[in-house]
Amino acid sequence: MCSRNAAPTVSDGQKQLQLLRYFKGTTDLGPTLSSDPAAYPTGPHGVSIYAVSDSSHACHPDGRSQSAYLIGVGLPGASAPFLGYSSKEGSSVSLSPLESEYVTLSRCARPLLYYRQFAHDLGFPQHGPSRMYQDNQPAINLATAHQIPAKSRHIAQRHHFLRWLHSIGQVSLHHQ
């Protein structure tokens, strides 16, 4: 509906009204954000933003990978609302599953940081790092290592943004 804000029709207005009526009548169906810390979806420590990412290495005929991530509020697996998601076919051929998963983690970290800052601006500061879940332990190890190993130096510099976010405590990486 937001894509129609520039030139809404009467039908668009009716749809927005119907959606607002639904939201008002179903506040008990899922987590809501409140200014009362005791009512936060994850307890008294505040609203928790998390991310889950995955990649399928060399699944396309030309050798490119497919990646996807989801960013949500609350606890993973709970009926929490998601903030954003993306699915993308890789623009280059990854040399290993490690590279494919690491690039996906890095691609996910940028919008995750944006949502952390947005939550802070709305009055829901993040009290600790956002949890990022990944199923590839070598990618997690690369992101948390003190130095980039020689075998991983071919990965483009822009993807190491994730390492910086981890080093300053904005994200924590977890195997899932």
Side-chain angles (χ1 to χ4, degrees):
M1 288 191 320
C2 290
S3 64
R4 304 291 300 238
N5 281 345
T9 64
V10 173
S11 176
D12 294 331
Q14 291 171 345
K15 290 173 189 171
Q16 288 176 346
L17 186 59
Q18 184 176 2
L19 186 62
L20 290 173
R21 283 184 186 143
Y22 172 78
F23 285 149
K24 184 176 181 181
T26 58
T27 57
D28 59 329
L29 291 181
T32 58
L33 301 181
S34 169
S35 60
D36 177 15
Y40 286 168
T42 58
H45 298 294
V47 172
S48 178
I49 298 175
Y50 71 94
V52 180
S53 71
D54 197 14
S55 179
S56 178
H57 174 65
C59 62
H60 293 285
D62 59 359
R64 291 182 294 160
S65 302
Q66 184 76 30
S67 65
Y69 65 81
L70 174 114
I71 300 173
V73 174
L75 299 172
S79 61
F82 70 91
L83 298 173
Y85 69 93
S86 175
S87 177
K88 181 180 179 186
E89 187 175 320
S91 57
S92 63
V93 176
S94 297
L95 301 179
S96 66
L98 160 69
E99 181 180 357
S100 176
E101 298 278 2
Y102 186 76
V103 168
T104 303
L105 269 171
S106 176
R107 201 169 65 86
C108 176
R110 287 177 284 226
L112 179 65
L113 181 61
Y114 165 78
Y115 283 117
R116 284 178 58 87
Q117 293 168 346
F118 185 62
H120 184 270
D121 291 345
L122 291 176
F124 300 100
Q126 299 297 289
H127 300 284
S130 290
R131 296 173 70 97
M132 293 184 78
Y133 294 94
Q134 172 61 256
D135 65 351
N136 187 288
Q137 190 63 48
I140 295 170
N141 293 343
L142 176 59
T144 59
H146 294 293
Q147 293 181 335
I148 300 171
K151 292 183 178 180
S152 300
R153 296 224 170 113
H154 66 280
I155 298 174
Q157 185 68 32
R158 71 177 177 272
H159 300 302
H160 296 302
F161 174 68
L162 172 66
R163 294 173 53 81
W164 177 73
L165 286 179
H166 180 266
S167 70
I168 63 170
Q170 293 289 308
V171 300
S172 64
L173 300 160
H174 301 274
H175 186 262
Q176 181 181 28

